[in-house]
Amino acid sequence: MQSGKIVVENLYKVFGDKPQDAMRLLKAGESKETVFAKTGQVVGVNNVSFSVDEGEIFVLMGLSGSGKSSLIRLINRLMDPTDGRILLDGQDITRLSQPELVALRRRDMSMVFQSFALMPHRSVLENAAFGLEIAGVGRKERETRAMKVLEQVGLAPFARKSPHELSGGMQQRVGLVRALAVNPSLMLMDEAFSALDPLKRAEMQDILLDLQRGQSRTIFFVSHDLEEALRIGTRIAIMEGGRLVQVGTPQEIIENPADDYVREFFKSVDTSRYLQAKDLIDPSAAGLVVNGYPANHAELDKHSWVACVSKDHKLLGLLGRDELRSEGCVPSERCVPVSPVAPASCLPDVLQRLLGQSEPLPVADGEGRYLGVITATSVLSKLSAHRLQSAH
Amino acid sequence: MSDFLHRLISNPHDFLPIGEWVNQFIHFLLDHNGGAFDAFGRAVDLFAESIEVALLSLPPWLIMGFFIGLGVWRLGWRFAGFVLAAFALIFGTGFWPQTVSTLALTLSATLISLMIGIPTGIWCARNKRVNTLVRPVLDFMQTMPAFVYLIPAAMFFGLGRVPGILATVVFAVPPAVRLTSLGIRQVNKEQVEAGHAFGCTSTQLLFKVQLPIALPAIMAGVNQTIMMALSMVIIASMVGAGGLGNDVLSSIQRLDVGLGFESGLAVVLLAIILDRLTESFGRGQAARQG
């Protein structure tokens, strides 16, 4: 069995009055369209399995109608699944009775909504304390706890105001505080920032990342905005027509989109911004000299630069090819020491370093082990490849 | 059956004796449940009478002061001035006691209507089957000419305040049911989901999410109920409910246009005051939610 904060196994959701008819066809391998044509039942979620690790921000992406809104509502059982299992900390929540479900929602999970869904008859503070009030926490304690979270997002001065007196971005901060105040181990966010303008959206993403730092809370985030997914997601899952098409880290999905549907998402997004130093390495740009001896004599002449490393592959420095001519053995004292960049450095940092020096830019991991070099040519070829991908 | 066939042949234009069936049904109820009706009637009478006696025992300036104060609080000085002028006019034409009686009748009919209407509205909003069952009943209650209720009401409860109030209740309940149910069903889907997502029980959802958010609509229903009750209470004077309706009725009987105008004017002024004040409560809520 898989382990994780949430484990979803073969989950189905069918909308209509005869879900069992639809299930029989689906399990026989019929498509969503055939099921609709034959039974009139609408398949929302079709045989989805995945797991979410504790502490990660798991972003579920898809166009409208892909079933992502249904899927997030299945996880806190605002909707009941037609078939399949959902394990939360190992407990199958699809079998819970109503009172058990109420207890679980109060203890372990909360939700942030696209339309904010604040209560207009309550002040900002009362809204923030809503979850605690429902759970039966006394007025003094719940207001103290809610106030603490309001302070974290800079809303303490507005505690006594009515939500409609606040701007959209501030209202959603109240929505976020309401969800955080109950200190849930799982927070569900349904298109939480989609109703905000782009500047406010970026600001909210920063607030979310700030609040998540050093926390073990798990966040399940539904979005249709790829930039948002790439920015905040630890891992991204892409849904189409009720099925899960691909699950992976942002880098994995950018580098290896599973199909045209996934590729379609990148059309409007400049994916080159998400390139990292390790994606830009050109393996053939520099020769390698280990502990003073070339790794491959014949190869050495093809490169204009040579990287010198110690016996345990720690980078010592770079050397121009001309320096090599006379001798077979390379004294490492003559290397130009060039400080390497980390594999996860982003494109703008890499470009800035490359422009400031004549040598190629070496990449080394956390322990200083040499991984390769980046040259202007390797960056340009990688960038043009991404542009072509986006253009198609 | 042969009776029915005979009728069909002898009188083909009126072979469905619905009216006769209704009469038989009413008489059946009267013969078999007379005691129950009497007890119910006494309870309603006690309720309405205590409200009327209480209001009539108050000095006029106290009642006027109360409404003027409400006017200042809810709508400002201009409306308070209007209330003062309106009351002075009613007092000056000598209709003050009847106006207070009418106010008391309206108040008791409204309270009974809301006690029935709001819970029914909640039930309709939460249960589709109840809703489909109740809707045609409401249509019937609202469109059946109001006078028609007075006859059976008088047969069940005799002449006086009780049949007047109960006929009024039948007429005034529908808007309370409709607007309560509408208000609850109009609560944003995500607000209801938010309630569930944070672990509301069904009672918590009703009292902490649905009813407070539906309050403006419910207040609009209260306003409608009051206005319906006021108009019906006047008509109910035909079964002896009392109040301003008596004067309107006698002005018709005596063809006294002047009396009709004076008493009618008192009804209009009372209606405007009640309408603006109750409307302002709903509007205050709506503004906070806008």
Side-chain angles (χ1 to χ4, degrees):
Chain A
M1 201 185 80
Q2 282 177 295
S3 69
K5 178 74 186 169
I6 312 172
V7 178
V8 170
E9 288 171 352
N10 306 100
L11 196 65
Y12 291 88
K13 175 67 190 175
V14 176
F15 297 99
D17 48 355
K18 291 172 289 185
Q20 290 317 318
D21 293 2
M23 282 306 300
R24 222 167 298 129
L25 291 175
L26 282 176
K27 290 206 163 158
E30 296 286 359
S31 75
K32 181 182 164 172
E33 288 73 22
T34 321
V35 170
F36 181 70
K38 282 192 179 165
T39 65
Q41 308 295 294
V42 177
V43 180
V45 175
N46 186 0
N47 196 9
V48 165
S49 301
F50 62 91
S51 74
V52 179
D53 296 331
E54 182 158 352
E56 76 174 335
I57 301 182
F58 188 88
V59 183
L60 180 64
M61 295 243 344
L63 301 176
S64 48
S66 61
K68 57 191 195 305
S69 299
S70 304
L71 186 50
I72 194 172
R73 281 165 176 72
L74 290 171
I75 288 176
N76 64 354
R77 290 233 351 235
L78 288 177
M79 284 180 190
D80 288 324
T82 311
D83 199 50
R85 300 206 304 164
I86 303 166
L87 305 176
L88 184 75
D89 297 317
Q91 182 190 24
D92 186 358
I93 64 160
T94 59
R95 289 162 192 271
L96 294 182
S97 68
Q98 196 59 32
E100 287 171 322
L101 188 60
V102 164
L104 176 79
R105 284 166 174 168
R106 287 177 181 178
R107 189 182 61 236
D108 275 330
M109 38 172 68
S110 63
M111 192 164 182
V112 183
F113 295 87
Q114 179 172 16
S115 69
F116 319 145
L118 299 176
M119 307 297 160
H121 58 284
R122 294 165 162 264
S123 70
V124 166
L125 181 61
E126 285 165 346
N127 265 292
F130 179 72
L132 295 168
E133 181 183 330
I134 294 303
V137 177
R139 174 177 290 273
K140 257 227 174 94
E141 191 194 335
R142 69 176 186 248
E143 294 201 339
T144 320
R145 282 172 63 182
M147 200 65 192
K148 217 170 272 169
V149 191
L150 278 175
E151 275 162 15
Q152 285 179 3
V153 301
L155 279 182
F158 301 92
R160 300 283 162 203
K161 296 244 186 236
S162 207
H164 80 266
E165 295 175 273
L166 307 185
S167 69
M170 286 160 95
Q171 289 191 26
Q172 192 57 306
R173 269 191 268 170
V174 179
L176 194 57
V177 170
R178 177 175 65 180
L180 287 169
V182 293
N183 199 18
S185 63
L186 170 64
M187 188 156 76
L188 304 172
M189 303 183 73
D190 181 24
E191 300 265 12
F193 305 148
S194 302
L196 305 174
D197 65 59
L199 278 178
K200 281 276 173 301
R201 198 181 306 166
E203 191 188 318
M204 289 299 293
Q205 290 161 1
D206 288 339
I207 290 175
L208 181 68
L209 291 173
D210 260 2
L211 291 170
Q212 181 67 1
R213 206 153 288 146
Q215 297 282 333
S216 61
R217 185 181 305 118
T218 309
I219 297 179
F220 189 91
F221 196 110
V222 165
S223 176
H224 64 261
D225 178 359
L226 184 71
E227 301 224 24
E228 183 165 78
L230 293 171
R231 193 142 177 258
I232 66 173
T234 318
R235 281 192 305 147
I236 299 175
I238 296 181
M239 244 186 135
E240 184 204 5
R243 287 182 162 281
L244 215 53
V245 183
Q246 189 172 13
V247 183
T249 63
Q251 250 62 38
E252 282 166 11
I253 291 184
I254 289 178
E255 290 302 313
N256 295 304
D259 62 10
D260 286 344
Y261 179 81
V262 179
R263 221 166 276 126
E264 194 75 5
F265 271 110
F266 299 129
K267 255 191 175 166
S268 57
V269 176
D270 180 7
T271 50
S272 61
R273 281 202 287 143
Y274 302 96
L275 286 173
Q276 296 180 344
K278 65 178 188 311
D279 305 319
L280 297 166
I281 291 171
D282 180 0
S284 61
L288 189 61
V289 171
V290 183
N291 201 19
Y293 293 94
N296 184 337
H297 266 284
E299 287 274 301
L300 221 48
D301 267 1
K302 292 185 190 159
H303 306 294
S304 42
W305 289 90
V306 171
C308 299
V309 297
S310 65
K311 232 191 313 197
D312 49 358
H313 264 247
K314 293 249 164 76
L315 180 70
L316 301 169
L318 296 174
L319 206 57
R321 196 183 53 183
D322 300 343
E323 306 274 335
L324 290 173
R325 278 267 166 75
S326 47
E327 299 137 77
C329 162
V330 186
S332 34
E333 318 73 85
R334 282 166 52 198
C335 296
V336 188
V338 182
S339 70
V341 293
S345 308
C346 59
L347 184 64
D349 292 347
V350 169
L351 288 176
Q352 204 179 6
R353 285 287 307 276
L354 264 183
L355 288 172
Q357 63 189 45
S358 51
E359 307 88 17
L361 184 62
V363 183
D365 66 14
E367 268 115 61
R369 269 190 297 272
Y370 171 76
L371 298 172
V373 294
I374 301 173
T375 64
T377 324
S378 73
V379 171
L380 282 177
S381 67
K382 202 75 184 182
L383 277 181
S384 75
H386 268 265
R387 281 285 143 76
L388 281 175
Q389 190 187 57
S390 307
H392 278 296
Chain B
M1 196 64 205
S2 65
D3 191 37
F4 178 73
L5 280 176
H6 174 74
R7 198 186 166 96
L8 181 61
I9 295 158
S10 68
N11 191 359
H13 300 295
D14 180 21
F15 63 87
L16 269 178
I18 291 181
E20 235 167 74
W21 295 340
V22 171
N23 284 338
Q24 281 165 12
F25 178 64
I26 297 287
H27 283 293
F28 173 82
L29 286 182
L30 274 174
D31 292 345
H32 292 83
N33 299 289
F37 284 114
D38 281 350
F40 180 65
R42 272 197 299 278
V44 173
D45 198 36
L46 188 69
F47 175 70
E49 192 178 2
S50 39
I51 289 181
E52 188 165 345
V53 168
L55 281 185
L56 281 170
S57 71
L58 294 174
W61 60 264
L62 194 66
I63 297 178
M64 292 186 195
F66 172 75
F67 278 96
I68 292 170
L70 265 184
V72 174
W73 175 42
R74 298 304 307 183
L75 293 151
W77 287 102
R78 271 181 55 182
F79 184 74
F82 168 78
V83 175
L84 179 64
F87 280 152
L89 203 149
I90 292 171
F91 198 75
T93 48
F95 284 100
W96 181 255
Q98 294 95 307
T99 305
V100 174
S101 289
T102 296
L103 183 65
L105 282 170
T106 309
L107 197 61
S108 27
T110 303
L111 287 177
I112 296 173
S113 300
L114 295 181
M115 281 190 281
I116 299 169
I118 293 180
T120 311
I122 293 172
W123 199 18
C124 285
R126 304 193 125 204
N127 188 325
K128 247 188 201 144
R129 198 167 300 156
V130 172
N131 191 38
T132 44
L133 228 90
V134 166
R135 267 186 63 183
V137 177
L138 295 181
D139 291 335
F140 183 93
M141 285 160 76
Q142 260 185 318
T143 46
M144 180 61 90
F147 304 93
V148 177
Y149 300 129
L150 292 175
I151 308 156
M155 287 171 78
F156 284 128
F157 303 104
L159 294 180
R161 211 185 277 119
V162 178
I165 286 178
L166 292 179
T168 304
V169 166
V170 174
F171 198 58
V173 157
V177 178
R178 275 186 217 278
L179 282 152
T180 302
S181 150
L182 179 76
I184 291 176
R185 276 183 283 121
Q186 273 181 342
V187 173
N188 184 317
K189 183 172 157 276
E190 289 203 336
Q191 285 171 326
V192 174
E193 284 186 332
H196 283 302
F198 284 92
C200 278
T201 60
S202 134
T203 318
Q204 282 178 322
L205 188 73
L206 181 65
F207 285 103
K208 291 188 187 282
V209 180
Q210 291 175 314
L211 280 183
I213 295 177
L215 199 58
I218 295 174
M219 284 309 294
V222 172
N223 171 277
Q224 289 291 303
T225 295
I226 290 179
M227 298 322 284
M228 297 290 245
L230 181 55
S231 68
M232 187 63 195
V233 152
I234 303 301
I235 295 171
S237 65
M238 292 166 92
V239 291
L244 285 169
N246 279 353
D247 299 293
V248 176
L249 202 61
S250 58
S251 81
I252 296 170
Q253 284 158 350
R254 288 190 267 150
L255 294 178
D256 185 341
V257 181
L259 177 67
F261 185 78
E262 280 182 342
S263 51
L265 192 63
V267 175
V268 170
L269 293 174
L270 184 62
I272 292 176
I273 294 169
L274 291 179
D275 178 54
R276 299 298 186 274
L277 283 176
T278 51
E279 197 202 2
S280 77
F281 281 94
R283 222 187 16 241
Q285 282 292 327
R288 281 212 293 158
Q289 306 198 358

